[in-house]
Amino acid sequence: MDENVKKNYEYWCTSPIFDDATKSELKSLEGNEDEIFDRFYRELEFGTGGLRGVIGAGTNRMNFYTVGKATQGLANFINKQGAAAKGVAIAFDSRRMSPEFADTAACVLAANGIKAYIFDSLRPTPELSFALRTLGCTAGIVVTASHNPPEYNGYKVYWEEDAQIISEVNAIKDYAEIKKMTTEEAKAAGLYEVIGKEIDDKYMEALKKLVLHPEAIKQMASSLKIVYTPLHGTGNVPVRRVLKELGFEQVTVVPEQELPDGNFPTVSYPNPEDKKAFALALDLAKKIDADLVLATDPDADRLGVYAKDTKTGEYKVFTGNMSGMLICEYEMSQKKALGILPENGALVTTIVSSNMAQAVAKEYGMKFIECLTGFKYIGEQIKFFEQSGSNEYVFGFEESYGCLVGTHARDKDAVVAVMALCEAAAYYKTQGITLWDQMLNIYNKYGYYKEDLFTMTFKGADGAKKMQDMMDAYRKNT
C-alpha cells in the first residue's frame, strides 16, 4: 500500500479528532487495500462546483470532516472579507446525510461567528439561490449531488470568488483546524436561524409574476393534463404549489416517486436526461391520456420533458436543447407580441448548447452571449448586466436540461421551467396545437439542428486517472 495512504488511514483510525462511528467504519476495511486506497489516495477535490463524492469515511469521501473542512475554508474567506454580518443561507435535498451535512456547515459557520440561515426541510437548489439574494447573505450553501447515483452527495457554494475560496479550503491541512459548536450553542448565540415558509411565499410570488398569458391558463386549466414526477427529490411541493396557484387543475403526480427518498428506489439513477427515469411517468401518462410528462431532478434545477404527438399518439422526448428552445421561443415571441421585449435584451447560453439559440436571438434582435459550460457563468452575465446596465437578461439555458426565466435566481430553475412550459402548453392549446407541433414549427422556422449525447462513467482512482489522461490527450492534440 502507498505510504501516504497508509499513514492517512491509520491517522483517521486513531486520532481523537474523528468519532467512533468513523473509526469503526474504517477498521472494518482492514485488509481491503483497494477500498482503503480509493478512500485515501487524495483529498476530495473542492472545485468551482464545490464538493461531490461518495458518502463514507476518508479524505476522498463526503463526510462530516470533509464538509467541515470546506465550510471552514469558506468561513476563513468570509471573515477575511469582513462579510460575516451578512450571514450564509443553507439548503439541502432528499439525499442520505443531506440534513446532517447542512447542520454541520451551519455549526462550523456559527463557530466562526457567521450567522447561518438554514431551511427547516429539503428545498430546491434554485430556491436557495433566491433565498440568499432575498436575505442579503454574503454566500449560500446547498447540500446536493443533483442527479448522481444514490451513494453520492455534494456541497455547492454560491459566491462570486471561486478561486479564492478554493485556495482557502486547500490551505487547511489539518482537520483539527475546523472550529466546532453544537446546534444548541449556535442557536443560543443567535447564529443559527431556521427559515422556511416566508421564503417559500416570496419565491412563489416571484415566479408567478413571470406569467405572460394567465388567460390561456384559465381557458385550458381543466383540459390540459400534466403528469409530473419529482423523482423522489425536492420538486414535489414547490412544483405542485405553483401549478395549483396558477389554476392548473389536471396535475397528476407519479405516486411511487412522490415522496423524498435518498435511495431513489424506483430508478437506477435519478436523472431526467435518462429515458429509463420516465418509465413510471409514461405508463401513467398513457393511462390518463396526458398532454405533458415532466420530471425534475432531485434538487429541482433541471427539467425533463415528453409531450404527446396527437397524430401518432406517441410521447415524444425533448432534449435539454429542445425544451430550452421551446421555452425561449415562447418567451421571446409572446413578450414581443405584448410589447414588453426589451430592445437591449440578451439571450445567454453555453458553448456546448444548441446553435439554434443564435438564430432565435437574431430573429428577435437580442444580443447573443455564449459562456463556458456551467450555469454559474450564465448567472454571472445577469450580474454584469445589472452592474453595467448594458443589457437586460431575457432567457438563459444549457443543453443539460437547465434554464432560467427571470432574474430571481442565479442558477437554472426547474420550478420556473415547469411553470413556463405548462403555460406555453396551455397557450398553444388555445391555438389548437400541442407542444410537439410547436417544436416542429420551431424547426421549420429556424432549421434542423442535429445533436447527440454520449455519457461515459469512470469509477475510482483508475477512473479519475483515465479521465485526466483523456483530457490531457485532447488538449495536446486538438
Side-chain angles (χ1 to χ4, degrees), residues 166-455:
I166 292 166
S167 63
E168 286 289 350
V169 174
N170 292 339
I172 297 171
K173 300 300 179 194
D174 190 343
Y175 290 94
E177 292 176 48
I178 302 165
K179 293 181 182 173
K180 294 195 173 99
M181 196 181 239
T182 66
T183 308
E184 291 69 32
E185 287 167 343
K187 284 179 177 172
L191 293 169
Y192 189 117
E193 186 177 321
V194 178
I195 56 172
K197 185 182 182 302
E198 67 285 3
I199 301 292
D200 297 339
D201 293 347
K202 286 177 181 172
Y203 177 56
M204 285 292 134
E205 286 312 306
L207 299 193
K208 289 189 290 184
K209 281 179 190 158
L210 299 166
V211 170
L212 301 173
H213 285 300
E215 75 290 346
I217 295 174
K218 199 172 178 185
Q219 193 181 333
M220 293 298 161
S222 59
S223 61
L224 184 75
K225 289 185 183 175
I226 302 156
V227 164
Y228 167 64
T229 172
L231 295 177
H232 306 287
T234 60
N236 186 39
V237 172
V239 165
R240 291 170 84 166
R241 178 176 171 182
V242 78
L243 291 180
K244 186 179 180 185
E245 289 185 11
L246 287 173
F248 290 99
E249 293 168 24
Q250 300 285 338
V251 180
T252 308
V253 178
V254 177
E256 301 92 332
Q257 296 173 331
E258 176 185 353
L259 297 179
D261 189 333
N263 294 315
F264 307 109
T266 63
V267 285
S268 55
Y269 81 125
N271 186 355
E273 290 178 82
D274 181 13
K275 291 179 182 177
K276 294 194 279 278
F278 272 91
L280 290 169
L282 286 168
D283 284 347
L284 182 57
K286 285 165 192 163
K287 275 180 200 154
I288 67 166
D289 192 29
D291 298 270
L292 272 182
V293 190
L294 308 173
T296 53
D297 67 339
D299 67 325
D301 62 356
R302 302 186 319 134
L303 171 67
V305 181
Y306 276 77
K308 192 172 186 189
D309 175 7
T310 43
K311 293 176 186 67
T312 63
E314 281 179 76
Y315 286 95
K316 299 285 194 178
V317 65
F318 286 63
T319 64
N321 280 324
M322 290 162 73
S323 58
M325 295 322 303
L326 187 78
I327 295 171
C328 180
E329 173 72 12
Y330 176 74
E331 293 290 319
M332 300 272 182
S333 64
Q334 297 315 305
K335 281 182 174 173
K336 186 179 178 183
L338 293 165
I340 56 171
L341 187 66
E343 283 182 19
N344 66 339
L347 167 57
V348 191
T349 184
T350 68
I351 55 171
V352 295
S353 303
S354 175
N355 293 334
M356 186 192 279
Q358 199 163 358
V360 177
K362 188 179 174 188
E363 167 77 9
Y364 293 102
M366 298 288 102
K367 185 177 176 74
F368 175 71
I369 297 172
E370 266 187 331
C371 305
L372 291 174
T373 310
F375 213 92
K376 68 174 199 158
Y377 295 110
I378 297 175
E380 200 171 52
Q381 290 298 317
I382 301 175
K383 183 190 76 173
F384 294 155
F385 298 156
E386 286 180 357
Q387 287 170 348
S388 67
S390 60
N391 290 93
E392 198 174 318
Y393 174 88
V394 178
F395 186 70
F397 84 103
E398 59 183 5
E399 56 77 36
S400 61
Y401 290 57
C403 71
L404 177 65
V405 181
T407 56
H408 60 282
R410 289 287 181 278
D411 207 341
K412 50 194 178 286
D413 184 349
V415 185
V416 81
V418 166
M419 184 189 89
L421 201 80
C422 292
E423 182 197 337
Y427 173 77
Y428 292 125
K429 195 161 185 169
T430 67
Q431 313 290 304
I433 62 172
T434 66
L435 282 188
W436 184 249
D437 295 330
Q438 173 58 9
M439 193 68 235
L440 297 178
N441 290 342
I442 289 170
Y443 282 132
N444 287 329
K445 182 175 178 181
Y446 297 108
Y448 284 78
Y449 291 76
K450 175 116 174 86
E451 56 172 291
D452 204 359
L453 181 69
F454 186 67
T455 305

